């Protein structure tokens, strides 16, 4: 209980400081801002969701008292709520077998408990990324014209501050940035939430406090209905207005979920490849450095959802059945 009482406020204070560091305007503050959910996620996975919820509430109240209600709400929605719920899902499991075998010996945890699937956790991450991005845009306005106009003015001021000699020809560049800004923000939110959850699980596993076996990430797959939702969301992208912006944000989040599933497919399809570590490392490096190769991962994830690439590959690696006498 003493450790529980210390971890909650420490994790909350660390997340709040990392979140509030964005006020300084320093470049390192941007990194700390994106890693703000990490301490609360570690608390949620290592000491339980209640620990993270108490730390998150204390941190949100503290930020509200120091900087005002908007900071309190922003922290609660973008940091505390995802950290608490994702930590809860990581530890969520259900009994699928008897508590003890017929011989009276307890079976292993893997045979007793079915843990919440990683693919469904990815969908929750996509949902939180959509929620936080849309909440941020709604602070700029309540309709599409106001939101895009505010984004355009802000990007124009930023561009002129960077280059005072900017001419009117840069308006086309600003318009392009305004169109891709919601999707880009959603992609960043999806990737940072995924990274925070992976890091927090690694920290707790290394410290011995992870109360579930480490999942086989190569088997990560999204529910089949995700493809239907993606098609519907993609269709609404052409409607325009606020609904079109929401659809674009949701589409970007789901696409990144399929990109993460595509990495899982890649890890499976390269099992028999010589120099597997080199090729995987090169792929990750290309995605991090250039960005656009992630499109290939999206295509790979979608292809696996449609055609079962991993299942076909694993079936081909199985030895042929023995001939019957």
């Amino acid at each position: 209980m003493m450790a529980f009482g210390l971890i909650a406020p420490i994790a909350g204070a660390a997340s709040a400081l990392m979140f509030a560091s964005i006020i300084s305007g320093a470049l390192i503050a941007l990194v700390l801002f994106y890693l703000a959910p990490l301490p609360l996620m570690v608390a949620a996975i290592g000491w339980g969701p209640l620990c993270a919820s108490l730390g998150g509430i204390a941190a949100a109240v503290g930020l509200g008292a120091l900087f005002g209600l908007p900071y309190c709400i922003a922290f609660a929605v973008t940091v505390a709520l995802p950290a608490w719920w994702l930590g809860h899902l990581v530890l969520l499991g259900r009994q699928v077998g008897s508590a003890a075998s017929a011989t009276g010996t307890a079976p292993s945890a893997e045979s007793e408990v079915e843990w919440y699937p990683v693919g469904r956790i990815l969908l929750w991450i996509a949902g939180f990324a959509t929620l936080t991005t849309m909440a941020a845009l709604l602070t700029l306005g309540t309709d599409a014209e106001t939101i895009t106009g505010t984004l355009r003015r802000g990007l124009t001021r930023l561009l002129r501050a960077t280059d005072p000699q900017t001419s009117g020809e840069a308006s086309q560049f600003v318009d392009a940035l305004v169109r891709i800004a919601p999707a880009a923000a959603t992609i960043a939110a999806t990737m940072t939430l995924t990274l925070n959850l992976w890091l927090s699980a690694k920290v707790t596993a290394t410290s011995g406090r992870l109360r579930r076996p480490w999942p086989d990430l190569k088997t990560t797959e999204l529910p089949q209905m995700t493809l239907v939702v993606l098609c519907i969301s993609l269709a609404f992208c052409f409607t325009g207005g606020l609904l079109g912006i929401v659809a674009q944000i949701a589409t970007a989040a789901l696409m990144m979920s399929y990109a993460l599933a595509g990495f899982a497919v890649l890890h499976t399809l390269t099992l028999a490849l010589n120099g597997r570590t080199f090729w995987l490392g090169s792929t990750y490096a290309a995605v991090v450095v250039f960005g656009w190769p992630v499109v290939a991962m999206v295509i790979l994830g979608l292809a696996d959802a449609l055609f079962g690439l991993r299942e076909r590959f694993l079936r081909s690696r199985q030895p042929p059945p023995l001939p019957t006498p």
Side-chain angles (χ1 to χ4, degrees):
M1 286 299 296
M2 183 178 296
F4 183 90
L6 289 174
I7 292 298
I10 290 174
S15 288
L17 288 173
M18 295 167 74
F19 180 83
S21 66
I22 196 68
I23 300 174
S24 67
L27 185 60
I28 188 63
L30 187 61
V31 178
L32 295 175
F33 175 79
Y34 281 122
L35 292 176
L38 182 59
L40 287 176
M41 284 186 178
V42 171
I45 298 174
W47 285 267
L50 178 60
C51 182
S53 62
L54 293 177
I57 291 171
V61 171
L63 286 172
L66 291 174
F67 302 107
L69 185 60
Y71 279 87
C72 173
I73 297 175
F75 178 84
V77 172
T78 62
V79 177
L81 180 61
W84 164 72
W85 185 247
L86 293 176
H88 165 72
L89 294 179
V90 167
L91 301 179
L92 188 61
R94 63 181 179 181
Q95 296 289 333
V96 293
S98 58
S101 64
T103 61
T105 58
S108 62
E110 290 82 359
S111 63
E112 290 182 5
V113 180
E114 180 184 8
W115 299 98
Y116 198 76
V118 176
R120 292 184 180 273
I121 294 178
L122 287 181
L123 284 187
W124 278 104
I125 290 175
F128 279 121
T130 302
L131 173 65
T132 55
T133 304
M134 200 61 220
L137 290 180
L138 288 176
T139 62
L140 306 179
T142 56
D143 57 87
E145 291 76 13
T146 305
I147 291 173
T148 55
T150 306
L151 278 175
R152 184 176 292 105
R153 288 191 296 270
L155 290 172
T156 301
R157 286 196 299 268
L158 181 63
L159 192 63
R160 288 176 178 172
T162 305
D163 183 11
Q165 303 300 322
T166 300
S167 62
E169 298 177 356
S171 61
Q172 294 181 348
F173 177 66
V174 172
D175 289 339
L177 288 179
V178 169
R179 293 190 189 98
I180 66 172
T186 308
I187 291 172
T190 303
M191 296 309 297
T192 52
L193 273 178
T194 305
L195 177 63
N196 278 308
L197 186 61
W198 183 83
L199 285 174
S200 59
K202 275 293 184 183
V203 169
T204 52
T206 303
S207 64
R209 297 200 63 89
L210 184 61
R211 299 195 295 272
R212 65 170 288 175
W214 189 263
D216 184 5
L217 298 179
K218 297 192 303 296
T219 64
T220 300
E221 60 180 0
L222 300 174
Q224 293 182 349
M225 284 300 297
T226 306
L227 197 57
V228 177
V229 175
L230 176 61
C231 293
I232 295 174
S233 177
L234 193 59
F236 276 108
C237 289
F238 301 96
T239 58
L242 190 60
L243 179 61
I245 294 177
V246 175
Q248 292 169 17
I249 292 172
T251 300
L254 292 174
M255 286 290 191
M256 288 310 301
S257 298
Y258 274 108
L260 294 170
F263 280 110
V265 177
L266 183 67
H267 276 262
T268 301
L269 299 183
T270 55
L271 284 174
L273 191 64
N274 292 328
R276 177 173 181 262
T277 303
F278 170 77
W279 291 111
L280 289 175
S282 299
T283 303
Y284 279 102
V287 171
V288 171
V289 174
F290 300 107
W292 62 263
V294 77
V295 176
M297 295 298 102
V298 175
I299 295 173
L300 191 58
L302 290 171
D304 180 70
L306 289 171
F307 306 112
L309 299 182
R310 276 178 290 188
E311 183 180 354
R312 293 167 182 258
F313 174 79
L314 294 175
R315 192 186 305 124
S316 68
R317 284 173 55 85
Q318 292 177 354
L322 295 174
T324 57

